[in-house]
Amino acid sequence: MERNQLRRQVALTRQSLFDQGFLDDQFIQLEDLQDDANPNFVEEVVTLYYRDSARLINNIEKALSVYNFLSFPSLLDFLVQQHFYIGAKKVKAECTLFREYCRAGNGEGCTRTFQQIKKEYATLKGKLEAYFQVLFHLMLPLSSLISQ
Amino acid sequence: MGSNSVVSNRRMPEKMNCFDLSPNSNSESEAEEVHVLAVDDSLVDRKVIERLLKISSCKVTAVDSGWRALKLLGLLDDEEEDKSSFSSSDGFEGLKVDLIITDYWMPGMTGYELLKKIKESSSFREIPVVIMSSENVMARIDRCLEEGAEEFIVKPVKLSDVTRLRDYYMATREIRSAESGINVNKRKLQESFDVSTASSSPSSSSASPPSLFSSSAPCSPSSLDSPTRRPKMTSFDHILI
């Protein structure tokens, strides 16, 4: 019975990520690549996403502190596209906006949007972590659930 | 609404592993998978591409930079310029690959620069190179195609893109094998020749891939018309012809 509750919780948590616009269909494409032989694929990709993002945000922050906008096309492209496979909808939108401001040489727009990126990313990360946490509990063997 | 949204229990549909290749190809495809070299500096993208390729039954080598790709191929050995002693069929010091798929924007060496280096090499220029990019920029696409890229795919790459590539390059590889004198697929090549206008001897090297594909040979070129390649379609046809 507890298991069913957990299942429901997982489903609701997952659905809310879509309903609230944090994730888009691309995340489902990622889920489709997971199977019994690769049961943790999504979480593995998301973990890499955190790593990529942390590094990227750090690099951009440094670059912005020197110049007030970025002109490195590879970095900009990387920033936008790395959210694709995760389906990180809101973050992606902010990154796209950021790229436009950079290309226009709009320093103030860049700084403002970059703060938004960081905020959206932090929110998404929190949501994803919460989701995988619940999922993890669902995947635990029944015996450990009963003991809770 | 409830249980079937629990992600980790989903299975890949079996059909993903069934090829719709021409009748004779199954024996060859089991013997030799398409080996793809994937180049992308993003951890996420690399992992996803690798998974997509593996699901499509390709052998994958994934690297994070153009330099590493060239090194693996054997193009960055003692000699800067490629010497004729390095041939892809020897696989002497280099990796033998059927297809290279690379991101466009990478630090250090871009996918475009990698493409150029490969096409400048006498041993490796025949390897098809596919460029991936998050943006659909015509100038960028044209530049890559002009430099010899087979195709330009807009990210995020989908499974359908990868299976389409695999089918296409599986057939292309068989043709190249036939050209280099390996008779395994001679029968299929002969069938293709019957379709095309070739009047020369069946095993002659005048069988260039373009004429075979444009004459609707076994490998179903119509499957190449996919939405993600739409901006590139005319250019691709131009390359084929």
Side-chain angles (χ1 to χ4, degrees):
Chain A
M1 203 161 7
E2 268 192 32
R3 206 161 183 82
N4 282 338
Q5 281 176 348
L6 256 182
R7 252 186 242 278
R8 198 163 39 239
Q9 198 182 345
V10 165
L12 284 173
T13 308
R14 180 180 170 278
Q15 193 54 43
S16 72
L17 290 171
F18 293 102
D19 292 343
Q20 291 169 23
F22 290 106
L23 296 177
D24 62 25
D25 286 351
Q26 193 55 45
F27 188 78
I28 299 175
Q29 307 254 358
L30 206 64
E31 290 174 328
D32 282 345
L33 298 181
Q34 187 163 285
D35 59 15
D36 288 349
N38 299 270
N40 302 311
F41 179 72
V42 180
E43 197 174 355
E44 285 164 10
V45 174
V46 172
T47 306
L48 292 175
Y49 172 66
Y50 298 151
R51 217 188 293 177
D52 263 349
S53 297
R55 182 167 53 102
L56 193 56
I57 285 173
N58 201 34
N59 286 342
I60 292 175
E61 190 122 51
K62 282 184 191 158
L64 281 180
S65 66
V66 180
Y67 316 96
N68 58 0
F69 64 92
L70 284 187
S71 57
F72 312 121
S74 61
L75 202 55
L76 285 175
D77 225 51
F78 191 50
L79 175 65
V80 172
Q81 77 185 23
Q82 65 139 347
H83 308 287
F84 280 4
Y85 289 114
I86 304 294
K89 199 170 170 187
K90 290 188 184 188
V91 185
K92 205 165 44 177
E94 294 296 337
C95 290
T96 307
L97 196 56
F98 179 76
R99 183 168 61 184
E100 291 316 306
Y101 279 126
C102 284
R103 284 175 176 166
N106 183 335
E108 199 216 313
C110 279
T111 314
R112 200 171 4 107
T113 321
F114 185 62
Q115 297 311 315
Q116 274 303 109
I117 291 172
K118 286 197 291 185
K119 183 164 157 266
E120 290 294 347
Y121 170 69
T123 308
L124 174 66
K125 186 165 182 232
K127 297 269 177 192
L128 284 171
E129 281 172 342
Y131 169 62
F132 284 112
Q133 188 70 10
V134 190
L135 197 56
F136 172 72
H137 280 113
L138 182 63
M139 292 302 114
L140 285 175
L142 205 55
S143 52
S144 64
L145 287 176
I146 289 166
S147 65
Q148 280 184 351
Chain B
M1 202 197 307
S3 57
N4 62 6
S5 62
V6 175
V7 176
S8 50
N9 286 331
R10 283 164 79 154
R11 294 178 57 85
M12 275 306 299
E14 288 300 315
K15 67 177 156 68
M16 290 298 177
N17 287 323
C18 294
F19 305 151
D20 284 331
L21 297 179
S22 54
N24 300 325
S25 69
N26 279 338
S27 50
E28 289 104 23
S29 64
E30 275 158 11
E32 277 186 61
E33 300 164 304
V34 176
H35 184 185
V36 182
L37 177 62
V39 191
D40 201 316
D41 61 318
S42 156
L43 288 166
V44 169
D45 291 23
R46 212 158 58 240
K47 187 162 177 83
V48 173
I49 278 287
E50 198 170 4
R51 180 85 184 113
L52 290 174
L53 287 165
K54 282 188 175 154
I55 288 174
S56 306
S57 301
C58 295
K59 185 178 167 200
V60 192
T61 302
V63 296
D64 64 356
S65 71
W67 290 111
R68 218 178 289 274
L70 291 176
K71 198 160 171 60
L72 270 181
L73 290 170
L75 269 173
L76 272 191
D77 277 342
D78 298 329
E79 298 89 10
E80 269 293 295
E81 291 301 316
D82 180 65
K83 304 291 183 211
S84 57
S85 58
F86 286 119
S87 71
S88 51
S89 55
D90 286 346
F92 171 45
E93 280 199 29
L95 203 64
K96 185 179 185 303
V97 299
D98 299 302
L99 169 66
I100 296 170
I101 182 164
T102 177
D103 191 17
Y104 183 85
W105 276 124
M106 295 185 290
M109 182 189 292
T110 65
Y112 174 72
E113 286 160 351
L114 174 62
L115 166 70
K116 275 179 72 171
K117 286 225 187 297
I118 288 165
K119 294 303 169 184
E120 280 163 9
S121 142
S122 53
S123 296
F124 295 97
R125 70 161 65 102
E126 291 307 312
I127 302 178
V129 181
V130 172
I131 311 271
M132 301 178 283
S133 175
S134 59
E135 278 188 302
N136 201 351
V137 176
M138 282 314 297
R140 189 184 294 179
I141 294 170
D142 286 343
R143 203 156 71 110
C144 290
L145 295 178
E146 276 161 26
E147 201 56 48
E150 294 295 322
E151 187 158 344
F152 191 98
I153 296 180
V154 179
K155 284 186 177 183
V157 178
K158 298 198 178 339
L159 186 59
S160 54
D161 292 325
V162 174
T163 49
R164 183 173 49 77
L165 282 177
R166 183 218 52 214
D167 290 350
Y168 178 51
Y169 292 111
M170 189 85 93
T172 310
R173 192 203 33 201
E174 286 166 358
I175 291 159
R176 280 187 277 122
S177 298
E179 285 177 353
S180 67
I182 296 165
N183 290 328
V184 174
N185 301 303
K186 190 173 175 179
R187 184 169 27 123
K188 191 153 65 130
L189 192 65
Q190 235 159 338
E191 286 167 17
S192 306
F193 267 95
D194 291 339
V195 175
S196 73
T197 56
S199 55
S200 46
S201 65
S203 58
S204 83
S205 56
S206 63
S208 57
S211 64
L212 283 170
F213 281 102
S214 60
S215 61
S216 305
C219 37
S220 58
S222 58
S223 65
L224 298 174
D225 299 345
S226 82
T228 49
R229 295 174 64 252
R230 198 180 3 187
K232 189 207 156 279
M233 274 313 293
T234 37
S235 308
F236 190 66
D237 286 338
H238 172 71
I239 296 284
L240 284 180
I241 298 159

